Amino acid sequence: MSLLRDLLVQFSIKRPRWVFLLLLALCVFTGAQIPSMQVDTDPENMLPHDQPDRVFHDRVKTRFSLYDMIVVGMVNSDDPDGIYNPDSLAALHSLSQRIGQMDGVISKDLMALDRVDNITQEGPGTIRFEWMMREAPASREAAQEIRRAVERLPLLGNTLVSGDGRAAGIYVPIEKKSISYRLSQQIEQAIAELDVEDEFHIAGLPVSEDTFGVEMFVQMAISAPLAGVMIFILMWLFFRSLLLISAPMLVAIASVIITLGLLIGQGYTVHIMSSMIPIFLMPIAVVDSVHILSEFADRYRPGDDARPTVKQVMGHLFTPMFYTSLTSAVGFASLAFTPIPPVQVFGLHVAFGIMLAFLLTVTLVPAYIVSLSPKRMAQLKDHNVHADDSSGLGRLMAAMGRFSIARARVLVVGFSLLTLLSIWGVSQIQINDNPVRWFKSDHSLRVADRVLNEHFSGTYNAYLVFDAGAQDDPVTRLQEELRAELAKQDEAQQLQAVLEQILAVSDNGDFDQYTSALAGRLDEASFNRPRAEEAFWLDLLDRVETAQVAAKIFLAPPVLDYIDGLTEYLTGLPEVGKVNSLPTVVKTVYRELTGGADEQYRLPGSARGVAQTLLSYQSSHRPDDLWHFVTPDYRSSLLWLQLKSGDNQAMSAVVSQVRDYIDKHPLPAGLSVNWAGLTYINVVWQEQMVQGMLKSLLGAFVMVLIMMVLLFRSWRIGLLAMLPLSVTILFIYGLIGFVGKDYDMPIAVLSALTLGLSVDFAIHYLERARAIYRQLGSWPEAVAEIYRGPSRAISRNAIVIAIGFTPLLLAPLVPYITVGFFLASIMAVSALVTLMLLPAAISLIGNKDRLFSLNRKEGSQ
C-alpha cells in the first residue's frame, strides 16, 4: 500500500502537467460519447428480456393484439348535460379524428364515441351495428340519444363516458411507449385549437414514463450543476481560497464525465437510476478531497513549500481514503447481484466512478496544489489547528468531544433507544411505487391522473389471462386416436395417404381447412366409393366437428359462467373500477338478438349459441375487437381490468384476492391463469428489486465488516467502525417507515450510499484516533486532539454535502427530491453518530491500550 501511495504521490507532485494532460484527454474522449445518450424510462426494462413474467406479458400483447394506451379525457362540469351537448361532442369528434391521423397511433383500435358501434335489434334474431357518433350531433336531443345508447352498452359505460356524463375519454393505442411524449404534445396542440371551455387531461402509464424521461434529462442538466455550485460555495466558506477548492470540483466533474461517458459509450441507455449517477457520485468524489484540503489547510502555513505538507497529508490519509473508497465501491457494486438490469448497470458504474474519484483525488489534488505559484499559495487562509480553535466550528467540536466523554453512558443508552425505535420504524415500511407519483402533486400528469380516475373506471390496465393447456385439447387427442387407428388400418394405400395428408393439415393448426378436406373426401366418397367408405368419412367428419367445438373451450357456457362470476367479484373490489370480458360481449349481443329486454342480458345455453352470437358480433364495424378478449382458436381469453390506482399495493391486493377466489372456486378443468399488463409488471420488478436489494445490502455489510477487520487488524475496531453504519441505516429506514414514505426505487438504492458514506467517517475517525492515542497514551487527551483536527474534516464534509444537495429539494421530480433529502439526512446522521457515539462507546471500553494495540514501552519512549 505504501509503495502504491509513494508512486502516485511522487508522480503527481513531480509531473503535475502530465496529470492534467492525461485527465484532459480522458475527459475529452469519454465526454464525446455523452451527446449520443439514449434515455429509457420503460419499466419493462427493469426486468431482463428473458424474465418469465415479461416474456408472458409480451406474448399476451401479441396474441391479443394489445397496445399501450394514452388516455385523453374531456371534462365538462358546467353544462347541465355534461359532455352530452353539441359543442362538447363536436370537439370530441374533431379531436378524435385529429388523433387518429397522427403518426404512431394505431387508428383502427382507437376508442372514442365516434369510433365505436351502437348495437341494437333490427328484427327477430338479427341485430344492427351503426356508428355511435358518425357525425357530431346538431341538437341536444340528438346528444341525449347518444347518451341513452351509451348507457345500454356495458363495454362503454365508465370507460368512454363517465357514469355521471361529465367526462368522455379517448383511448389512444400507440405503436411504442417511446413516442408517447411526442404524441401528448401533438394532442395538446390539437386541444389548444378547439373552441370549447371543457377541461382536457392526458394520462396513462406510457405518457407518464416517457414524460419523466424528458424531464429527467432536463433535470440532469440542472440539479447536479446546482448541487455542485452549492458545494463549491460552502467549501469556499471553509477554505477561503477559490483556487484551492477548485481541485475537488475538478475531481467531481471529471469523475462524472468519465463515468457517464463510459456508460453511454458501452451502449447502455440512461435509465432513471443511471440518471442519478452524477448526484450519487459527486458527494463521494468530493469527500476525500475535502479530507485532504482540511488537513492540508490545518498544517500548511503561507510561505512554506507545499510539497512536504502534501506528502505528510497523503501519508496520513492515503490508506483510510483507499479503504473508504473501496467500501463505498463494494456497497454499490453489490447492486450487481440484484435481478434488475438498470440497477446492476447503475451500481457497477458508480462503483467504478468511486474508485476513479479516489485515483483522481490522490493524483489531481496533489498535482493541483503543488502547481500553484507561491503568490497564489500565500493567499491561502491560515488554518493552523491551534489558531482555528476560536472559530465557531472549532468551539463546537471541542464541546462535542468533552460532552461525548462526560456523558458517555447517557449517549450510548440514548442511541440504543433510538436504534430500537428505528427497528420498529423499519417494520412499518410499505413497499410501493407508481411512476405517476414520480411527479409533484401539482404536475399536469398528477392532476390528470386524479381527475380522470375520479370520473372513469380507471386509467391503469391489468390483464388476467386464461389459458387451456395443449394436453387437454380434444383435437390433439383426436389426432392421436386417428394416428393409432391408421396404424391398424388394413385399407388401401390411397386411404392411408389421404388420412396422412389431412392429419398434416391439422398439425399446422388450420382446423377449418382440416374439416374442409374431410368434407371434400366425403363428397368424393359419395360418388366414387362404396357405401362403407362413405360411412367412414361421415363418422370421421362428425368426430372432427365435435372435437373442434369441444376444443373451443371459451365457447362453453360453464367456462363463460365461471369467468362472468369472477368478473362480477372483481368489479366489487375497491381497487377495481371495471372489468371488461368476453362474457360481457356475449351477453350484450345476445340481449339484442333475443328481443333487447334487460332480462335477456345473459349467456346462451349452448356452445353453438355462443358461437352464433359472436358470429353476429363480427358483422360490426370493429370485428377485430373480439380478438382483444379471446384468441381465434378460443383456447385463451382475458379479463381487462381497469384500476383507479397504479400503486403496486393496489395491484398486489387484486392479485391476492384473485388467488383467494380461485382457491375457493377452483378453475374449470384444464384452465390456468396468469397476469399481464404494465401495472402488474411494475409489481414484479418492484418485488424482485426489494429482495435483491436486501440480499446485496446484507452481502455488502458482511464484506465491509471483513475489510474493516483487515484494515485495522482488529476485530474490535472493525466492529466499532460498523457502528455508525448500522445506526445510520436503521435510523434512515426507520424514519421512512415512521413518516409513511413508500419504499420505492430511489429509497432502495440509498442503502448503498448509506453504507459507503457512513463507514467513510468511521474509518477516518478511528484511524486518526488510534494514531493519536498511540502517541499520547491518554484517551481524554486523544479526544481533545481529535476534535481539533480530524473531527473538523468530518464535520466539514457533512456540512458541505448535506447543505450542498439541498437544491435537489426544489426539483420538479419526486425521486430527485427524495435523494436530496435523504442524502442530506445520511450525511448529518452518520457524522453525528461518528462524532458522538464512537467516542462515547470507546470511553466505556476498559482496556483502551489493548483496543488500540498500544505497547506502553513504545508509548513511553
Side-chain angles (χ1 to χ4, degrees):
M1 185 70 69
S2 59
L3 179 61
L4 175 63
R5 176 195 65 204
D6 293 340
L7 285 174
L8 291 174
V9 173
Q10 287 294 335
F11 176 76
S12 301
I13 63 179
K14 289 183 178 181
R15 300 284 188 273
R17 291 186 179 180
W18 278 101
V19 174
F20 300 148
L21 289 174
L22 289 172
L23 179 59
L24 178 62
L26 192 56
C27 286
V28 169
F29 175 75
T30 54
Q33 313 300 317
I34 294 178
S36 62
M37 176 190 305
Q38 297 292 324
V39 176
D40 174 25
T41 55
D42 187 350
E44 290 185 43
N45 291 331
M46 297 296 282
L47 297 172
H49 289 281
D50 58 353
Q51 199 274 342
D53 293 286
R54 181 175 181 180
V55 171
F56 181 77
H57 168 78
D58 292 338
R59 189 164 66 243
V60 167
K61 289 175 66 176
T62 301
R63 288 164 60 202
F64 291 92
S65 301
L66 301 176
Y67 300 93
D68 297 300
M69 288 191 292
I70 299 173
V71 182
V72 181
M74 180 179 73
V75 180
N76 188 319
S77 302
D78 299 325
D79 193 284
D81 293 321
I83 59 97
Y84 289 111
N85 66 81
D87 290 340
S88 293
L89 291 180
L92 183 71
H93 186 280
S94 174
L95 182 59
S96 172
Q97 295 297 314
R98 287 280 300 276
I99 293 174
Q101 296 170 2
M102 293 179 181
D103 185 38
V105 173
I106 310 298
S107 182
K108 70 180 183 66
D109 284 337
L110 189 145
M111 291 176 60
L113 285 179
D114 64 312
R115 298 287 183 131
V116 296
D117 277 326
N118 180 24
I119 306 174
T120 57
Q121 185 182 35
E122 189 170 47
T126 60
I127 56 176
R128 179 182 181 185
F129 295 95
E130 58 182 347
W131 292 112
M132 180 67 70
M133 191 173 69
R134 187 178 187 87
E135 302 290 342
S139 64
R140 285 191 176 268
E141 291 74 15
Q144 290 305 308
E145 288 182 11
I146 293 175
R147 179 173 197 156
R148 288 189 288 271
V150 169
E151 290 174 348
R152 275 185 58 81
L153 299 176
L155 286 172
L156 306 185
N158 277 321
T159 297
L160 289 186
V161 184
S162 62
D164 59 7
R166 296 288 177 188
I170 302 175
Y171 290 74
V172 187
I174 57 178
E175 292 178 353
K176 52 185 178 180
K177 292 190 284 290
S178 59
I179 64 172
S180 56
Y181 177 78
R182 172 180 62 80
L183 284 173
S184 71
Q185 298 302 298
Q186 294 178 4
I187 293 171
E188 286 183 357
Q189 183 177 355
I191 290 171
E193 298 172 6
L194 298 174
D195 187 21
V196 288
E197 298 297 325
D198 301 59
E199 298 176 17
F200 287 87
H201 301 278
I202 300 176
L205 277 178
V207 71
S208 297
E209 292 156 4
D210 202 31
T211 301
F212 183 86
V214 173
E215 297 192 9
M216 177 185 76
F217 188 84
V218 175
Q219 199 61 38
M220 285 176 63
I222 295 175
S223 292
L226 274 179
V229 170
M230 182 67 77
I231 290 174
F232 188 88
I233 293 171
L234 288 167
M235 286 196 297
W236 180 83
L237 292 175
F238 282 124
F239 301 107
R240 301 299 174 91
S241 171
L242 293 177
L243 284 173
L244 193 60
I245 63 176
S246 297
M249 299 309 301
L250 289 175
V251 169
I253 293 170
S255 299
V256 170
I257 290 174
I258 295 171
T259 303
L260 273 181
L262 177 66
L263 181 146
I264 295 166
Q266 294 176 91
Y268 290 111
T269 56
V270 176
H271 200 269
I272 177 177
M273 294 310 311
S274 47
S275 76
M276 292 187 179
I277 284 178
I279 296 172
F280 280 84
L281 195 54
M282 192 171 290
I284 300 175
V286 168
V287 162
D288 284 342
S289 299
V290 172
H291 279 295
I292 294 176
L293 289 180
S294 186
E295 185 153 343
F296 179 83
D298 285 340
R299 295 178 181 276
Y300 176 76
R301 294 186 180 182
D304 293 345
D305 184 3
R307 286 176 174 80
T309 307
V310 169
K311 289 181 180 179
Q312 186 181 22
V313 169
M314 296 305 297
H316 288 154
L317 296 179
F318 186 90
T319 298
M321 286 193 308
F322 174 75
Y323 274 95
T324 56
S325 300
L326 189 59
T327 53
S328 298
V330 166
F332 280 97
S334 67
L335 298 179
F337 295 103
T338 65
I340 309 297
V343 176
Q344 295 171 347
V345 172
F346 167 79
L348 290 174
H349 282 84
V350 173
F352 167 82
I354 291 170
M355 297 311 297
L356 172 66
F358 166 76
L359 180 61
L360 295 181
T361 299
V362 299
T363 54
L364 179 62
V365 174
Y368 185 90
I369 292 175
V370 301
S371 67
L372 295 176
S373 66
K375 182 179 178 181
R376 296 290 190 184
M377 291 299 296
Q379 298 174 4
L380 177 62
K381 182 184 176 183
D382 187 358
H383 280 272
N384 179 270
V385 292
H386 299 294
D388 204 32
D389 284 346
S390 60
S391 69
L393 183 61
R395 291 194 302 272
L396 177 62
M397 290 296 99
M400 187 178 292
R402 292 191 299 270
F403 180 80
S404 63
I405 293 179
R407 296 290 184 269
R409 294 185 185 278
V410 174
L411 284 173
V412 170
V413 171
F415 275 105
S416 298
L417 293 175
L418 180 63
T419 300
L420 291 175
L421 184 62
S422 299
I423 292 173
W424 176 84
V426 171
S427 68
Q428 303 303 306
I429 286 179
Q430 297 185 13
I431 300 170
N432 194 29
D433 204 355
N434 181 354
V436 174
R437 293 200 288 143
W438 293 347
F439 302 93
K440 283 186 174 180
S441 59
D442 59 348
H443 193 282
S444 61
L445 286 171
R446 287 286 295 273
V447 174
D449 184 70
R450 286 194 299 271
V451 172
L452 297 188
N453 282 293
E454 285 173 3
H455 285 285
F456 295 106
S457 297
T459 60
Y460 298 92
N461 300 323
Y463 304 102
L464 183 61
V465 184
F466 295 81
D467 279 310
Q471 65 274 17
D472 298 312
D473 184 359
V475 173
T476 301
R477 291 200 300 270
L478 178 59
Q479 289 174 335
E480 294 172 354
E481 292 173 4
L482 289 177
R483 285 193 172 90
E485 292 178 12
L486 182 60
K488 300 176 182 178
Q489 283 287 343
D490 198 18
E491 304 288 338
Q493 291 293 323
Q494 183 181 8
L495 177 60
Q496 293 185 24
V498 170
L499 277 173
E500 288 172 354
Q501 181 180 5
I502 293 173
L503 284 170
V505 171
S506 70
D507 283 339
N508 292 329
D510 192 343
F511 299 114
D512 291 332
Q513 188 176 347
Y514 186 13
T515 306
S516 299
L518 286 172
R521 290 303 305 170
L522 176 60
D523 290 340
E524 182 181 346
S526 61
F527 290 101
N528 304 321
R529 298 297 180 195
R531 196 55 120 175
E533 186 172 331
E534 180 182 355
F536 171 81
W537 292 115
L538 280 170
D539 177 65
L540 182 57
L541 180 61
D542 182 66
R543 291 167 67 187
V544 169
E545 289 179 341
T546 301
Q548 284 184 312
V549 172
K552 297 179 178 180
I553 191 168
F554 289 102
L555 293 178
V559 173
L560 294 181
D561 274 331
Y562 182 89
I563 295 176
D564 198 33
L566 179 55
T567 299
E568 184 176 350
Y569 170 76
L570 288 172
T571 304
L573 298 180
E575 298 85 2
V576 179
K578 182 181 177 182
V579 180
N580 299 297
S581 63
L582 180 62
T584 307
V585 176
V586 173
K587 291 192 294 183
T588 300
V589 177
Y590 187 71
R591 178 185 62 189
E592 304 306 324
L593 283 171
T594 54
D598 290 342
E599 56 270 19
Q600 296 300 323
Y601 183 72
R602 59 183 179 83
L603 293 169
S606 67
R608 294 186 185 276
V610 173
Q612 183 61 43
T613 301
L614 294 178
L615 185 62
S616 298
Y617 177 78
Q618 291 189 285
S619 301
S620 69
H621 293 102
R622 297 172 59 109
D624 289 342
D625 282 359
L626 176 63
W627 311 129
H628 296 322
F629 295 101
V630 67
T631 52
D633 62 359
Y634 292 91
R635 301 285 294 169
S636 296
S637 183
L638 62 73
L639 304 184
W640 168 23
L641 282 71
Q642 292 181 255
L643 308 180
K644 289 183 172 290
S645 171
D647 288 4
N648 287 352
Q649 290 178 338
M651 184 71 243
S652 296
V654 174
V655 171
S656 176
Q657 291 177 89
V658 167
R659 189 183 302 116
D660 292 342
Y661 181 91
I662 292 175
D663 288 342
K664 296 176 182 177
H665 307 83
L667 290 165
L671 289 189
S672 62
V673 294
N674 205 346
W675 287 94
L678 277 184
T679 313
Y680 177 72
I681 289 297
N682 285 344
V683 172
V684 173
W685 71 254
Q686 181 84 7
E687 290 179 349
Q688 293 198 4
M689 179 190 70
V690 172
Q691 295 172 3
M693 289 292 185
L694 180 59
K695 292 178 181 178
S696 68
L697 178 61
L698 293 175
F701 188 92
V702 172
M703 291 179 66
V704 170
L705 175 59
I706 294 172
M707 285 192 290
M708 291 302 96
V709 173
L710 293 176
L711 167 64
F712 294 106
R713 292 180 174 84
S714 167
W715 64 268
R716 294 180 181 87
I717 300 182
L719 290 176
L720 280 173
M722 302 301 290
L723 194 58
L725 165 63
S726 304
V727 173
T728 302
I729 288 180
L730 287 174
F731 176 80
I732 292 299
Y733 283 89
L735 180 64
I736 290 168
F738 186 78
V739 301
K741 176 75 174 72
D742 288 336
Y743 184 97
D744 53 17
M745 181 170 51
I747 290 292
V749 177
L750 281 174
S751 60
L753 186 63
T754 308
L755 190 148
L757 292 181
S758 300
V759 81
D760 181 327
F761 293 154
I763 290 174
H764 282 284
Y765 186 94
L766 290 170
E767 179 72 12
R768 299 295 290 128
R770 181 168 65 174
I772 293 172
Y773 182 82
R774 286 176 175 177
Q775 179 183 358
L776 300 177
S778 168
W779 179 240
E781 293 180 14
V783 168
E785 184 65 23
I786 291 168
Y787 283 83
R788 289 192 186 100
S791 64
R792 282 209 301 265
I794 293 173
S795 60
R796 285 167 180 160
N797 253 322
I799 294 170
V800 166
I801 306 305
I803 298 178
F805 279 86
T806 52
L808 290 178
L809 301 178
L810 303 177
L813 301 176
V814 174
Y816 284 82
I817 298 172
T818 300
V819 169
F821 174 78
F822 283 102
L823 185 58
S825 301
I826 289 168
M827 296 301 295
V829 173
S830 58
L832 188 64
V833 174
T834 299
L835 295 175
M836 296 191 71
L837 182 58
L838 275 184
I842 294 172
S843 296
L844 298 179
I845 296 175
N847 191 343
K848 297 179 183 57
D849 289 356
R850 183 180 179 186
L851 175 66
F852 291 120
S853 304
L854 173 63
N855 186 324
R856 279 293 170 177
K857 291 182 179 181
E858 294 179 2
S860 63
Q861 292 176 355

